[in-house]
Amino acid sequence: MSIPPSTPDKDASDTRQGDEEQQEQEDIYINPDDCIDLGEGVDDSAEVAADERAGVAADLLEAADEEEERDNCSITYPFTDAALCLAANPKDHTVVAVGLQNDTAELLRIRPGSVEPLRILRGHTDSVVSVAFSSDGELLATGSYDGTVKVWEVAKLMAETGDCSTPMLSLEGPGEGVEWVSWHPKGHAVCAGSQDGTAWMWWAGKSSGGGNVMQVFAGAHGAAVNCGSFSIDGKAVVTAGLDGVVAVWNPRTGATAASCRTNEEELQRSQRQRQQDGDVDMEEEVP
């Protein structure tokens, strides 16, 4: 009795199945020789190569150095008033800006075990509640409950000492206090949200036109816009308000690309709680 020859389709199917089974085995199993027992310490047996032991020792030393550095970072700095916000310069993480309740901001250099005061920034007339460095680290924006955003040139701040009360730009427009500031990820446009339910965007570069309003985002919020940011690609601005609304804006046109509202029942419960805590006027109507 003759055995019929296998067909090409069946051969290909068997080959694929074999390859898949082999790949599955490789995915599930590892070579035991690749393992090092670190349960109670480094395995000193002959099965562990000298370079592997050296690598483990280096990792342990690095971990010890990191732990010591963390211990050295446990420092205290006596601010003149309550600190409300902070930001590190993305190009030099030792330089930190802190916004204070006494209407000022402080520029500090923080290293393991030490804090060096650099400058005190004056000019706001109310608490500085938001600070942010531009993505290139060249500019610092400070936002305040006085309704303004001030822009400071970092290089000039670092080149001098003492108090500074002359920002590069003072950006105005919001009818009430500024809640937050955010820089465009690729340029010197800065956005800020206000207690009046709007958000503003200015050109804050050192070139001509610095300080000009680029866009006003209005109409989506019925209460303070208490948080927001540019998207990571800079093509959208996202804001959220105390009214429970989250809005996505087109920074070129100022139009809302999308918006949504939090659960109405939860929003009412939150507002009633805020009334009880004294954060909201008792005569304010809860929707």
Side-chain angles (χ1 to χ4, degrees):
M1 179 178 178
S2 61
I3 300 175
S6 59
T7 63
D9 290 343
K10 184 177 185 303
D11 291 341
S13 176
D14 292 342
T15 300
R16 285 195 301 270
Q17 183 177 357
D19 292 341
E20 291 172 356
E21 290 176 353
Q22 181 179 358
Q23 183 63 45
E24 184 178 1
Q25 293 291 328
E26 293 175 354
D27 290 342
I28 294 175
Y29 298 102
I30 61 175
N31 187 342
D33 295 336
D34 293 337
C35 299
I36 300 176
D37 181 12
L38 297 179
E40 297 296 329
V42 178
D43 185 355
D44 290 326
S45 68
E47 296 178 359
V48 180
D51 58 341
E52 292 176 328
R53 293 199 301 271
V56 172
D59 290 342
L60 294 175
L61 288 174
E62 183 178 356
D65 291 341
E66 291 176 353
E67 183 175 357
E68 181 179 359
E69 185 173 347
R70 286 195 299 270
D71 291 341
N72 291 337
C73 286
S74 299
I75 53 180
T76 301
Y77 180 78
F79 288 112
T80 55
D81 206 337
L84 304 179
C85 55
L86 62 83
N89 190 318
K91 297 302 182 181
D92 183 355
H93 293 169
T94 67
V95 176
V96 175
V98 181
L100 302 177
Q101 191 171 351
N102 65 359
D103 311 346
T104 68
E106 291 196 30
L107 199 64
L108 311 170
R109 185 181 296 280
I110 300 179
R111 293 190 175 97
S114 68
V115 177
E116 176 189 358
L118 299 175
R119 304 296 300 272
I120 295 179
L121 311 182
R122 302 186 183 277
H124 286 292
T125 58
D126 207 334
S127 300
V128 178
V129 295
S130 183
V131 293
F133 287 94
S134 59
S135 60
D136 57 11
E138 294 182 359
L139 301 176
L140 169 66
T142 57
S144 168
Y145 280 159
D146 64 9
T148 68
V149 174
K150 299 190 184 299
V151 179
W152 314 78
E153 195 170 354
V154 175
K156 289 185 177 180
L157 292 176
M158 301 294 290
E160 301 176 6
T161 59
D163 294 5
C164 180
S165 57
T166 54
M168 185 184 82
L169 294 171
S170 184
L171 309 177
E172 300 180 355
E176 297 182 34
V178 168
E179 292 277 1
W180 54 270
V181 293
S182 174
W183 287 95
H184 191 281
K186 299 178 181 178
H188 287 166
V190 64
C191 192
S194 172
Q195 294 173 337
D196 67 2
T198 65
W200 293 64
M201 184 172 68
W202 300 266
W203 172 248
K206 292 178 282 187
S207 60
S208 61
N212 289 344
V213 176
M214 299 179 69
Q215 203 61 258
V216 179
F217 306 104
H221 295 286
V225 182
N226 61 330
C227 54
S229 177
F230 280 99
S231 61
I232 194 170
D233 59 4
K235 295 181 179 180
V237 173
V238 183
T239 59
L242 289 179
D243 56 0
V245 172
V246 176
V248 180
W249 307 84
N250 183 326
R252 290 185 178 274
T253 65
T256 51
S259 64
C260 62
R261 190 181 184 92
T262 58
N263 181 275
E264 192 73 23
E265 181 178 347
E266 178 63 22
L267 178 62
Q268 292 180 3
R269 186 203 64 77
S270 175
Q271 289 181 326
R272 285 193 294 269
Q273 183 63 49
R274 290 173 55 225
Q275 285 182 341
Q276 294 174 7
D277 294 342
D279 294 336
V280 177
D281 189 340
M282 292 300 292
E283 296 181 357
E284 179 180 329
E285 181 180 356
V286 178

mmCIF file of all heavy atoms in Angstrom, residues 29-55:
data_model
loop_
_atom_site.group_PDB
_atom_site.id
_atom_site.type_symbol
_atom_site.label_atom_id
_atom_site.label_comp_id
_atom_site.label_asym_id
_atom_site.label_seq_id
_atom_site.Cartn_x
_atom_site.Cartn_y
_atom_site.Cartn_z
ATOM 1 N N TYR A 29 11.044 29.447 28.752
ATOM 2 C CA TYR A 29 12.184 28.935 29.501
ATOM 3 C C TYR A 29 13.405 29.822 29.317
ATOM 4 O O TYR A 29 13.615 30.413 28.263
ATOM 5 C CB TYR A 29 12.503 27.503 29.056
ATOM 6 C CG TYR A 29 11.377 26.546 29.306
ATOM 7 C CD1 TYR A 29 10.552 26.136 28.267
ATOM 8 C CD2 TYR A 29 11.112 26.086 30.583
ATOM 9 C CE1 TYR A 29 9.503 25.274 28.496
ATOM 10 C CE2 TYR A 29 10.057 25.222 30.817
ATOM 11 C CZ TYR A 29 9.252 24.813 29.770
ATOM 12 O OH TYR A 29 8.213 23.967 30.005
ATOM 13 N N ILE A 30 14.193 29.915 30.378
ATOM 14 C CA ILE A 30 15.458 30.629 30.315
ATOM 15 C C ILE A 30 16.569 29.668 30.662
ATOM 16 O O ILE A 30 16.347 28.604 31.249
ATOM 17 C CB ILE A 30 15.479 31.821 31.294
ATOM 18 C CG1 ILE A 30 15.294 31.326 32.736
ATOM 19 C CG2 ILE A 30 14.448 32.847 30.934
ATOM 20 C CD1 ILE A 30 15.424 32.422 33.762
ATOM 21 N N ASN A 31 17.748 30.039 30.285
ATOM 22 C CA ASN A 31 18.908 29.203 30.564
ATOM 23 C C ASN A 31 19.290 29.349 32.034
ATOM 24 O O ASN A 31 19.606 30.455 32.481
ATOM 25 C CB ASN A 31 20.070 29.639 29.667
ATOM 26 C CG ASN A 31 21.257 28.694 29.785
ATOM 27 O OD1 ASN A 31 21.356 27.925 30.730
ATOM 28 N ND2 ASN A 31 22.147 28.770 28.809
ATOM 29 N N PRO A 32 19.265 28.272 32.810
ATOM 30 C CA PRO A 32 19.608 28.386 34.235
ATOM 31 C C PRO A 32 21.004 28.944 34.463
ATOM 32 O O PRO A 32 21.279 29.532 35.509
ATOM 33 C CB PRO A 32 19.503 26.939 34.742
ATOM 34 C CG PRO A 32 18.602 26.257 33.767
ATOM 35 C CD PRO A 32 18.873 26.903 32.448
ATOM 36 N N ASP A 33 21.899 28.780 33.489
ATOM 37 C CA ASP A 33 23.257 29.297 33.654
ATOM 38 C C ASP A 33 23.292 30.824 33.679
ATOM 39 O O ASP A 33 24.292 31.422 34.077
ATOM 40 C CB ASP A 33 24.155 28.790 32.523
ATOM 41 C CG ASP A 33 24.333 27.277 32.588
ATOM 42 O OD1 ASP A 33 24.166 26.720 33.696
ATOM 43 O OD2 ASP A 33 24.616 26.671 31.542
ATOM 44 N N ASP A 34 22.189 31.456 33.197
ATOM 45 C CA ASP A 34 22.143 32.915 33.172
ATOM 46 C C ASP A 34 21.717 33.504 34.509
ATOM 47 O O ASP A 34 21.682 34.721 34.666
ATOM 48 C CB ASP A 34 21.170 33.407 32.090
ATOM 49 C CG ASP A 34 21.672 33.082 30.697
ATOM 50 O OD1 ASP A 34 22.894 32.906 30.540
ATOM 51 O OD2 ASP A 34 20.841 33.003 29.783
ATOM 52 N N CYS A 35 21.335 32.675 35.470
ATOM 53 C CA CYS A 35 20.800 33.150 36.743
ATOM 54 C C CYS A 35 21.901 33.278 37.787
ATOM 55 O O CYS A 35 22.825 32.467 37.840
ATOM 56 C CB CYS A 35 19.717 32.206 37.266
ATOM 57 S SG CYS A 35 18.308 32.065 36.156
ATOM 58 N N ILE A 36 21.783 34.302 38.626
ATOM 59 C CA ILE A 36 22.689 34.490 39.758
ATOM 60 C C ILE A 36 21.844 34.560 41.012
ATOM 61 O O ILE A 36 20.873 35.313 41.077
ATOM 62 C CB ILE A 36 23.511 35.780 39.616
ATOM 63 C CG1 ILE A 36 24.348 35.732 38.337
ATOM 64 C CG2 ILE A 36 24.407 35.997 40.819
ATOM 65 C CD1 ILE A 36 25.110 37.001 38.081
ATOM 66 N N ASP A 37 22.188 33.782 42.018
ATOM 67 C CA ASP A 37 21.439 33.773 43.266
ATOM 68 C C ASP A 37 21.884 34.949 44.124
ATOM 69 O O ASP A 37 23.026 35.000 44.572
ATOM 70 C CB ASP A 37 21.686 32.451 44.001
ATOM 71 C CG ASP A 37 20.908 32.383 45.306
ATOM 72 O OD1 ASP A 37 20.027 33.242 45.493
ATOM 73 O OD2 ASP A 37 21.190 31.484 46.113
ATOM 74 N N LEU A 38 20.965 35.898 44.343
ATOM 75 C CA LEU A 38 21.275 37.055 45.178
ATOM 76 C C LEU A 38 20.445 37.045 46.454
ATOM 77 O O LEU A 38 20.280 38.067 47.102
ATOM 78 C CB LEU A 38 21.011 38.358 44.408
ATOM 79 C CG LEU A 38 21.879 38.576 43.165
ATOM 80 C CD1 LEU A 38 21.488 39.877 42.494
ATOM 81 C CD2 LEU A 38 23.342 38.602 43.536
ATOM 82 N N GLY A 39 19.907 35.881 46.812
ATOM 83 C CA GLY A 39 19.030 35.815 47.975
ATOM 84 C C GLY A 39 19.729 36.203 49.257
ATOM 85 O O GLY A 39 19.303 37.098 49.966
ATOM 86 N N GLU A 40 20.824 35.530 49.590
ATOM 87 C CA GLU A 40 21.540 35.815 50.823
ATOM 88 C C GLU A 40 22.896 36.463 50.554
ATOM 89 O O GLU A 40 23.642 36.748 51.458
ATOM 90 C CB GLU A 40 21.757 34.509 51.612
ATOM 91 C CG GLU A 40 20.466 33.835 52.050
ATOM 92 C CD GLU A 40 19.701 34.693 53.025
ATOM 93 O OE1 GLU A 40 20.339 35.452 53.783
ATOM 94 O OE2 GLU A 40 18.458 34.615 53.028
ATOM 95 N N GLY A 41 23.213 36.687 49.317
ATOM 96 C CA GLY A 41 24.509 37.253 48.983
ATOM 97 C C GLY A 41 24.957 36.730 47.639
ATOM 98 O O GLY A 41 24.264 35.966 46.985
ATOM 99 N N VAL A 42 26.117 37.125 47.218
ATOM 100 C CA VAL A 42 26.624 36.728 45.916
ATOM 101 C C VAL A 42 27.139 35.297 45.982
ATOM 102 O O VAL A 42 27.849 34.912 46.912
ATOM 103 C CB VAL A 42 27.755 37.684 45.482
ATOM 104 C CG1 VAL A 42 28.321 37.249 44.149
ATOM 105 C CG2 VAL A 42 27.234 39.104 45.408
ATOM 106 N N ASP A 43 26.765 34.487 44.999
ATOM 107 C CA ASP A 43 27.216 33.103 44.928
ATOM 108 C C ASP A 43 28.685 33.081 44.540
ATOM 109 O O ASP A 43 29.069 33.541 43.471
ATOM 110 C CB ASP A 43 26.372 32.363 43.883
ATOM 111 C CG ASP A 43 26.697 30.879 43.846
ATOM 112 O OD1 ASP A 43 27.630 30.466 44.562
ATOM 113 O OD2 ASP A 43 26.013 30.164 43.101
ATOM 114 N N ASP A 44 29.515 32.545 45.437
ATOM 115 C CA ASP A 44 30.951 32.513 45.182
ATOM 116 C C ASP A 44 31.400 31.220 44.532
ATOM 117 O O ASP A 44 32.597 30.949 44.443
ATOM 118 C CB ASP A 44 31.722 32.706 46.493
ATOM 119 C CG ASP A 44 31.580 34.120 47.015
ATOM 120 O OD1 ASP A 44 31.499 35.036 46.179
ATOM 121 O OD2 ASP A 44 31.533 34.290 48.238
ATOM 122 N N SER A 45 30.473 30.407 44.089
ATOM 123 C CA SER A 45 30.860 29.138 43.490
ATOM 124 C C SER A 45 31.539 29.371 42.158
ATOM 125 O O SER A 45 31.480 30.447 41.569
ATOM 126 C CB SER A 45 29.625 28.250 43.303
ATOM 127 O OG SER A 45 28.788 28.805 42.313
ATOM 128 N N ALA A 46 32.180 28.337 41.685
ATOM 129 C CA ALA A 46 32.927 28.445 40.430
ATOM 130 C C ALA A 46 32.017 28.683 39.249
ATOM 131 O O ALA A 46 32.480 29.090 38.180
ATOM 132 C CB ALA A 46 33.741 27.168 40.219
ATOM 133 N N GLU A 47 30.700 28.432 39.414
ATOM 134 C CA GLU A 47 29.777 28.604 38.299
ATOM 135 C C GLU A 47 29.537 30.074 37.986
ATOM 136 O O GLU A 47 29.043 30.421 36.929
ATOM 137 C CB GLU A 47 28.444 27.920 38.615
ATOM 138 C CG GLU A 47 28.565 26.410 38.779
ATOM 139 C CD GLU A 47 27.238 25.767 39.127
ATOM 140 O OE1 GLU A 47 26.252 26.519 39.254
ATOM 141 O OE2 GLU A 47 27.197 24.551 39.265
ATOM 142 N N VAL A 48 29.844 30.944 38.932
ATOM 143 C CA VAL A 48 29.643 32.375 38.717
ATOM 144 C C VAL A 48 30.943 32.983 38.242
ATOM 145 O O VAL A 48 31.959 32.902 38.918
ATOM 146 C CB VAL A 48 29.179 33.061 40.015
ATOM 147 C CG1 VAL A 48 28.969 34.551 39.768
ATOM 148 C CG2 VAL A 48 27.903 32.417 40.513
ATOM 149 N N ALA A 49 30.905 33.583 37.082
ATOM 150 C CA ALA A 49 32.116 34.147 36.493
ATOM 151 C C ALA A 49 32.577 35.361 37.276
ATOM 152 O O ALA A 49 31.796 36.037 37.945
ATOM 153 C CB ALA A 49 31.857 34.529 35.039
ATOM 154 N N ALA A 50 33.865 35.655 37.169
ATOM 155 C CA ALA A 50 34.442 36.768 37.918
ATOM 156 C C ALA A 50 33.833 38.101 37.496
ATOM 157 O O ALA A 50 33.605 38.980 38.327
ATOM 158 C CB ALA A 50 35.955 36.793 37.714
ATOM 159 N N ASP A 51 33.558 38.249 36.200
ATOM 160 C CA ASP A 51 32.995 39.523 35.757
ATOM 161 C C ASP A 51 31.582 39.711 36.276
ATOM 162 O O ASP A 51 31.141 40.840 36.529
ATOM 163 C CB ASP A 51 33.022 39.627 34.234
ATOM 164 C CG ASP A 51 32.262 38.501 33.560
ATOM 165 O OD1 ASP A 51 32.037 37.467 34.214
ATOM 166 O OD2 ASP A 51 31.904 38.664 32.372
ATOM 167 N N GLU A 52 30.832 38.620 36.462
ATOM 168 C CA GLU A 52 29.491 38.723 37.023
ATOM 169 C C GLU A 52 29.560 39.162 38.481
ATOM 170 O O GLU A 52 28.773 39.998 38.928
ATOM 171 C CB GLU A 52 28.759 37.390 36.893
ATOM 172 C CG GLU A 52 28.436 37.011 35.450
ATOM 173 C CD GLU A 52 27.794 35.644 35.349
ATOM 174 O OE1 GLU A 52 28.119 34.777 36.180
ATOM 175 O OE2 GLU A 52 26.978 35.450 34.447
ATOM 176 N N ARG A 53 30.502 38.601 39.228
ATOM 177 C CA ARG A 53 30.660 39.006 40.622
ATOM 178 C C ARG A 53 31.055 40.475 40.711
ATOM 179 O O ARG A 53 30.572 41.216 41.569
ATOM 180 C CB ARG A 53 31.709 38.125 41.309
ATOM 181 C CG ARG A 53 31.284 36.668 41.467
ATOM 182 C CD ARG A 53 32.110 35.970 42.530
ATOM 183 N NE ARG A 53 33.535 35.998 42.225
ATOM 184 C CZ ARG A 53 34.156 35.072 41.497
ATOM 185 N NH1 ARG A 53 33.464 34.055 40.990
ATOM 186 N NH2 ARG A 53 35.444 35.152 41.270
ATOM 187 N N ALA A 54 31.931 40.890 39.810
ATOM 188 C CA ALA A 54 32.352 42.291 39.813
ATOM 189 C C ALA A 54 31.176 43.207 39.499
ATOM 190 O O ALA A 54 31.029 44.282 40.085
ATOM 191 C CB ALA A 54 33.475 42.504 38.803
ATOM 192 N N GLY A 55 30.320 42.765 38.571
ATOM 193 C CA GLY A 55 29.152 43.577 38.229
ATOM 194 C C GLY A 55 28.194 43.713 39.392
ATOM 195 O O GLY A 55 27.664 44.791 39.657
#
